[in-house]
Amino acid sequence: MSPVAATRELTDLAGRARLVVMRLARRIRQEGMGDEATPSMISALASIDRFGPLTLGELAAVEQVQPPTMTKIVARLEAAGYVVREVDAGDRRVARVQVTSAGHRFVERGRQRGAMFLAERLRTLSAEERAAVEAALPVLERLLDGDA
């Protein structure tokens, strides 16, 4: 196979893989969270839940969005009762965003529903297909970790 054909083949594989991973992730997220929150809200809430109290600037950096965008997302999360802003004891000019117990339950419930959705989809596969998915996971994890 020529280098050009090999490159085209890899590019086609990358495009198909990207599309299926994005669609699957979106579907799991939709099934897990429903219409209760936007994908941006869900992502921000999960980040706050994972990393603990964060300033809006830190959260914007984690989520790779501009601070004004994050301000709007956090305002919506606050209105839903999923987060609270707390003034930093060391610097009263700084506020940190923290997940409420309702926000944590929302994240956990979404994760469980997403996992149940995927388990139901996996149940529709043959034993051989499920084995192929399981065998592909270490390779996909290597791609994610950048060690491929």
Side-chain angles (χ1 to χ4, degrees), residues 92-111:
R92 310 276 310 152
R93 298 170 296 172
V94 176
R96 297 193 182 281
V97 182
Q98 184 168 315
V99 173
T100 63
S101 58
H104 180 72
R105 285 191 307 272
F106 179 74
V107 170
E108 285 303 312
R109 194 170 53 247
R111 287 179 181 145

Side-chain angles (χ1 to χ4, degrees), residues 52-69:
L54 298 168
T55 66
L56 287 177
E58 291 168 342
L59 183 57
V62 167
E63 293 296 307
Q64 299 180 343
V65 299
Q66 294 298 313
T69 300

Side-chain angles (χ1 to χ4, degrees), residues 83-131:
V83 301
V84 293
R85 294 183 209 215
E86 295 182 350
V87 175
D88 187 290
D91 185 348
R92 310 276 310 152
R93 298 170 296 172
V94 176
R96 297 193 182 281
V97 182
Q98 184 168 315
V99 173
T100 63
S101 58
H104 180 72
R105 285 191 307 272
F106 179 74
V107 170
E108 285 303 312
R109 194 170 53 247
R111 287 179 181 145
Q112 290 170 357
R113 288 191 307 216
M116 289 177 67
F117 163 76
L118 189 54
E120 286 298 318
R121 298 298 299 169
L122 289 168
R123 192 173 281 118
T124 67
L125 302 178
S126 68
E128 294 80 18
E129 290 170 323
R130 284 193 303 273

Side-chain angles (χ1 to χ4, degrees), residues 38-52:
T38 66
S40 298
M41 290 170 66
I42 293 165
S43 181
L45 184 60
S47 291
I48 301 164
D49 190 53
R50 178 178 178 199
F51 297 116

